[in-house]
Amino acid sequence: QVQLVESGGGLVQAGGSLRLSCTASGMTFSSYSMGWFRQGPGKEREFVATIHWRGAYTEYADSVKGRFTISRDNAKNTVYLQMNSLKPEDTAVYYCAKPTALLTMTKLVNQYDYWGQGTQVTVSS
């Protein structure tokens, strides 16, 4: 059974930083890209970032480009999201997710089949 466990959320002032972690089990981690998504109050879940299964490529939402960095450590089955220069509009529950297909990068919510429990990020102004 695939499990994704996130950690690292919290309350931070605007301009601050947080680092999220997501550790996977029950899957061949190095064969899957991984994604981070977020869902703000009253909003739909949206794509934040994705990383190639070997870390060779990354893609970001325009709203976070230049401020967030996704990375992974396949030896630890862990994907990270470093968030810098945080803004109040980054406030959301952040989720890591595994795509349904092997060896595929995607930004589409409906192409992911396993999700973590979510971690709350709150940015105060």
Side-chain angles (χ1 to χ4, degrees):
Q1 179 74 2
V2 175
Q3 285 194 316
L4 303 174
V5 179
E6 300 115 338
S7 62
L11 173 64
V12 65
Q13 288 190 332
S17 298
L18 284 173
R19 188 196 197 202
L20 306 183
S21 300
C22 170
T23 299
S25 60
M27 59 180 284
T28 305
F29 186 73
S30 60
S31 294
Y32 290 90
S33 68
M34 293 294 291
W36 284 99
F37 292 78
R38 67 186 181 186
Q39 188 164 13
K43 297 182 179 180
E44 293 187 353
R45 194 166 298 189
E46 64 175 3
F47 167 77
V48 174
T50 184
I51 185 165
H52 182 271
W53 45 98
R54 297 199 183 280
Y57 305 103
T58 57
E59 295 186 43
Y60 298 92
D62 288 344
S63 58
V64 308
K65 206 171 290 184
R67 300 187 298 121
F68 290 11
T69 302
I70 188 172
S71 61
R72 65 190 295 158
D73 184 340
N74 285 352
K76 296 181 178 179
N77 284 8
T78 300
V79 59
Y80 305 97
L81 186 68
Q82 177 67 43
M83 305 185 294
N84 298 330
S85 302
L86 282 160
K87 304 175 181 181
E89 51 264 44
D90 294 318
T91 294
V93 178
Y94 283 71
Y95 299 90
C96 68
K98 168 197 161 294
T100 305
L102 283 169
L103 308 178
T104 301
M105 293 178 70
T106 177
K107 302 178 183 181
L108 301 178
V109 171
N110 62 6
Q111 293 185 357
Y112 287 78
D113 57 358
Y114 285 93
W115 298 81
Q117 81 284 2
T119 186
Q120 177 70 46
V121 171
T122 303
V123 184
S124 63
S125 57

